[in-house]
Amino acid sequence: MALTDHCDDQALRQQLVNVARRMNSTGLNQGTSGNLSARIEGGILVTPSSLPYEQMEADDLVALDLSGHPLREQQRRPSSEWRLHADVLNGRSEATAVVHCHPIHATALACHDRGIPAFHYMVAVAGGDEIRCAPYATFGTKELSENVVEALGPRNACLLARHGMVTLGKDLESALRVAVEVETLARMYLQALQLGEPPVLSSAQMQAVHAQFRGLHYGQVDQSPR
């Protein structure tokens, strides 16, 4: 594909910057760690490497095709995790955005290779009966992105061993909301573990939760009750 200055939307760029800043302000992320992306024609728009979010502007976002080739000239260097974003979005046509962050409680669980079981019905917000933890792999590698894609399956969130969390959504707002929910669940689960391993909902009980979400028209990506 030829390089172009018209391959993505300026409004989407600004939304991505805004969501990146909110990701840090909510405590989901710290410093320049973590990264976000959104689907565009011909590829993805992803946050740049090593640029503090409070300094980031719309034109700093990096446009790549799904193989990592630039779609614009004179761009910043993309996030080292661009491949993770490209591979997740490439395999999930219904999603348009990915959030990768390092929240304290979810990452604490991931440091023990632990996901989040169905100890609470809101685990269903991630689209499954549990939130899996992807095996460890070096950041920025194909191995990591493959592990994440497998751990996600059809779900909308997973943890990354000794690393952090990934969520996806129908848009950036949905992906961020799922990340907030998963971090809240991780904090609750860690608190519950102080009394021992909590009981979990059965598969039948979780299926009833999924059916209730569907009946109330909560989407696969944005399912949390309002």
Side-chain angles (χ1 to χ4, degrees):
M1 178 178 291
L3 293 176
T4 175
D5 289 326
H6 304 288
C7 62
D8 51 271
D9 184 83
Q10 195 70 12
L12 179 60
R13 285 175 166 267
Q14 189 58 55
Q15 183 188 20
L16 208 154
V17 170
N18 294 342
V19 172
R21 291 174 179 167
R22 283 168 54 201
M23 182 175 72
N24 272 28
S25 68
T26 60
L28 283 173
N29 206 61
Q30 310 80 38
T32 60
S33 64
N35 26 79
L36 298 88
S37 68
R39 190 190 302 277
I40 57 172
E41 183 178 356
I44 62 170
L45 196 61
V46 66
T47 48
S49 178
S50 304
L51 181 65
Y53 294 125
E54 63 270 17
Q55 299 176 20
M56 189 183 299
E57 301 296 340
D59 286 341
D60 292 318
L61 278 296
V62 183
L64 304 171
D65 69 18
L66 295 179
S67 297
H69 300 117
L71 293 174
R72 292 184 66 176
E73 295 177 333
Q74 299 177 329
Q75 298 189 107
R76 287 184 175 271
R77 185 162 52 95
S79 165
S80 61
E81 298 288 16
W82 69 264
R83 187 188 304 274
L84 183 157
H85 293 263
D87 287 353
V88 168
L89 288 175
N90 189 43
R92 296 288 295 274
S93 60
E94 80 281 12
T96 70
V98 173
V99 168
H100 168 48
C101 51
H102 299 171
I104 298 298
H105 301 91
T107 303
L109 286 173
C111 287
H112 287 272
D113 294 318
R114 293 187 73 147
I116 304 175
F119 80 107
H120 189 285
Y121 82 93
M122 280 300 290
V123 166
V125 77
D129 290 357
E130 75 284 318
I131 299 168
R132 297 170 175 170
C133 184
Y136 178 78
T138 305
F139 74 94
T141 62
K142 182 67 172 176
E143 181 184 6
L144 177 63
S145 68
E146 289 175 347
N147 288 351
V148 169
V149 168
E150 182 175 355
L152 283 171
R155 296 167 175 79
N156 306 310
C158 73
L159 307 188
L160 285 64
R162 273 87 77 193
H163 191 152
M165 177 206 299
V166 167
T167 63
L168 65 154
K170 63 184 179 183
D171 52 36
L172 285 161
E173 292 290 339
S174 295
L176 183 65
R177 281 195 292 269
V178 172
V180 170
E181 294 282 4
V182 173
E183 171 62 357
T184 300
L185 286 163
R187 183 176 182 181
M188 292 165 60
Y189 184 45
L190 283 169
Q191 290 290 321
L193 285 170
Q194 301 302 306
L195 299 176
E197 189 70 47
V200 298
L201 296 169
S202 68
S203 177
Q205 288 172 321
M206 287 300 291
Q207 288 308 304
V209 175
H210 293 303
Q212 187 82 332
F213 279 179
R214 289 192 297 270
L216 294 172
H217 305 291
Y218 300 134
Q220 285 297 305
V221 172
D222 181 19
Q223 298 172 312
S224 49
R226 295 295 188 266

